[in-house]
Amino acid sequence: MTRSTMLCGIAALFLLAGVAAAGEPAVELKVVKLGALDEAIAKHKGKIVVVDFWATFCIPCKAEFPNLVKMHQERARDGVVCMSVTVDDTDDQAAALKFLQKQQATFENFLIDEPAETYQKHYDFGAVPLILVFGKDGKLVKKFNAKSKDTAFTYKDVRQVVESLLK
Amino acid sequence: MGCTNLLLSAAVLLAFTAAVPADGLKIGAPAPSFSNLDTTDGKTISLDDLKGKDVLVIVITCNHCPVAGAHEDRLIAFAKKYCGEGNKIGLVAINVNNSPPDRLDKMKERAKEKGFNFPYAYDPSQKIAEQLGAVCTPEFWVFDKGRKLAYHGAFDDDWKGENVKEQYLIPAVEALLKGDRVKKTTTRAVGCGIEYQKADK
């Protein structure tokens, strides 16, 4: 192989890589207030919506996050909308985005820019992890939030609810 | 006298048997009891051990959570100022998480490393957390002399402790010491969800 052919080949590879990268959906993080978040959920009426609340300081949240990504990869085509909401400070937006990019969270991601009191009261929970499952009618079907030994949950439990709604 | 006692007993019973309200223990509710919890200094601690104190602060905290970690220096400073020998305020930190980074051996390491000047206890049954209605680490409860809940929530208004605009715990404690009314009795704590585990069947 001549040197020029090889160089052409390498250039072609870089070009392809560039095109491939550009073709992938970007991972984005949008800073929102409460009203906008509710709207973002409501606009998917007709589909099942799974909203995963997490934070960069929540280690179990981050450990479970791949399960949300997996659900998206497996079920988006069947009408399941996966969404993440971080309760991080806006100061930590870059760190949150970095995590989402690493996770390849190619669905809607939000950072809720409200005082803890506001969003905790609104969604009725104390701390992340929190997972909300909305039915096709836009109504909340199940809230997963461990406030006691009885309400401890895993993604297996979330999946069960989602699968039952898909039947 | 008999009627008051009966009513009081009924209230206490109700407080324990009724489901803990959504926002945790209500202001005015009695402190849940705990006994013989292992502490990082090789001893044990019970609620009764602190009965000489006029004010009792309980913090549910843990090792692994960055939000809890961010409060450690504030707790140490608080204990240094308010909880020394002869002082009237008791502080006990309790961890109820059972995953490896939060177990007693790791708790001992942390206590030593940071020089905790307050008891750091372990409740693997998670009962104290359930009875307090604890949802995250760190979360704070302040009880008065009669061990009635006077304040519940966060330490201050910035979990990182970098841009604190309003103190919550300290004013509550100081009010009680003066015999004043606590102005802000409840705030929302921010932190890592407590790792409650389903009871073994």
Side-chain angles (χ1 to χ4, degrees):
Chain A
M1 197 191 288
T2 64
R3 181 198 261 194
S4 57
T5 314
M6 209 158 74
L7 283 170
C8 273
I10 292 169
L13 272 171
F14 273 117
L15 200 67
L16 276 169
V19 168
E24 272 170 26
V27 174
E28 286 171 354
L29 178 59
K30 199 170 168 204
V31 178
V32 292
K33 299 281 183 195
L34 208 55
L37 180 58
D38 281 343
E39 267 172 39
I41 296 169
K43 95 165 182 257
H44 291 291
K45 195 170 167 180
K47 297 196 174 172
I48 295 157
V49 184
V50 179
V51 188
D52 186 319
F53 288 73
W54 67 287
T56 55
F57 57 71
C58 176
I59 293 158
C61 299
K62 293 195 284 190
E64 287 290 301
F65 204 92
N67 286 319
L68 180 71
V69 177
K70 190 161 177 244
M71 183 154 38
H72 167 73
Q73 288 166 347
E74 292 172 5
R75 287 314 209 177
R77 67 188 76 106
D78 300 319
V80 178
V81 174
C82 290
M83 228 181 246
S84 81
V85 180
T86 176
V87 300
D88 278 307
D89 256 5
T90 46
D91 283 350
D92 296 318
Q93 188 177 350
L97 177 60
K98 199 166 170 195
F99 174 78
L100 291 167
Q101 283 168 334
K102 215 165 158 209
Q103 293 289 313
Q104 297 181 320
T106 54
F107 37 72
E108 285 173 278
N109 302 299
F110 301 97
L111 185 150
I112 179 101
D113 182 21
E114 297 275 18
E117 186 171 23
T118 304
Y119 64 75
Q120 284 180 3
K121 273 202 176 129
H122 186 73
Y123 295 109
D124 185 29
F125 74 105
V128 289
L130 164 75
I131 297 175
L132 303 176
V133 181
F134 294 86
K136 292 181 186 174
D137 58 0
K139 295 207 180 93
L140 183 67
V141 167
K142 182 85 185 183
K143 179 176 76 174
F144 292 96
N145 184 232
K147 279 188 174 178
S148 63
K149 291 166 96 95
D150 291 334
T151 51
F153 69 94
T154 66
Y155 247 90
K156 200 166 158 204
D157 303 308
V158 179
R159 230 19 219 267
Q160 260 176 12
V161 170
V162 171
E163 296 302 321
S164 73
L165 289 172
L166 280 171
K167 285 207 177 85
Chain B
M1 164 77 165
C3 191
T4 318
N5 272 347
L6 200 67
L7 281 171
L8 207 66
S9 310
V12 170
L13 203 66
L14 209 65
F16 282 118
T17 57
V20 179
D23 296 327
L25 213 58
K26 283 221 173 318
I27 297 297
S33 188
F34 55 91
S35 51
N36 300 318
L37 300 181
D38 288 325
T39 55
T40 54
D41 57 1
K43 302 191 183 129
T44 64
I45 195 166
S46 310
L47 179 69
D48 276 351
D49 294 338
L50 299 140
K51 64 173 178 264
K53 303 291 181 183
D54 287 353
V55 178
L56 174 63
V57 178
I58 300 178
V59 52
I60 298 293
T61 185
C62 70
N63 265 23
H64 85 275
C65 175
V67 183
H71 281 82
E72 284 166 352
D73 288 344
R74 277 172 279 181
L75 275 177
I76 291 166
F78 178 86
K80 189 172 181 184
K81 183 170 178 185
Y82 293 97
C83 308
E85 273 302 309
N87 281 13
K88 287 313 212 167
I89 302 171
L91 167 67
V92 53
I94 307 176
N95 163 51
V96 306
N97 289 342
N98 290 317
S99 54
D102 286 330
R103 288 191 203 142
L104 191 60
D105 56 341
K106 288 284 183 257
M107 287 171 62
K108 285 180 176 174
E109 277 175 30
R110 176 63 60 80
K112 191 172 175 194
E113 185 192 344
K114 293 285 299 191
F116 281 176
N117 50 356
F118 49 83
Y120 187 21
Y122 181 41
D123 180 7
S125 79
Q126 309 190 313
K127 274 206 195 90
I128 183 68
E130 284 198 302
Q131 287 170 344
L132 288 166
V135 298
C136 70
T137 58
E139 197 173 344
F140 299 83
W141 290 261
V142 180
F143 297 93
D144 65 17
K145 202 165 182 177
R147 295 299 178 261
K148 297 288 187 293
L149 185 62
Y151 172 78
H152 166 223
F155 189 87
D156 54 34
D157 68 350
D158 177 31
W159 73 259
K160 291 182 188 173
E162 291 163 4
N163 288 313
V164 177
K165 295 196 183 73
E166 195 180 343
Q167 295 284 347
Y168 299 140
L169 187 93
I170 290 171
V173 165
E174 288 185 341
L176 289 175
L177 285 177
K178 285 201 208 108
D180 284 343
R181 190 179 61 87
V182 173
K183 285 200 185 78
K184 205 164 210 166
T185 57
T186 311
T187 61
R188 288 277 179 159
V190 171
C192 310
I194 287 174
E195 291 167 9
Y196 283 112
Q197 294 161 305
K198 277 200 148 74
D200 288 330
K201 292 202 168 109

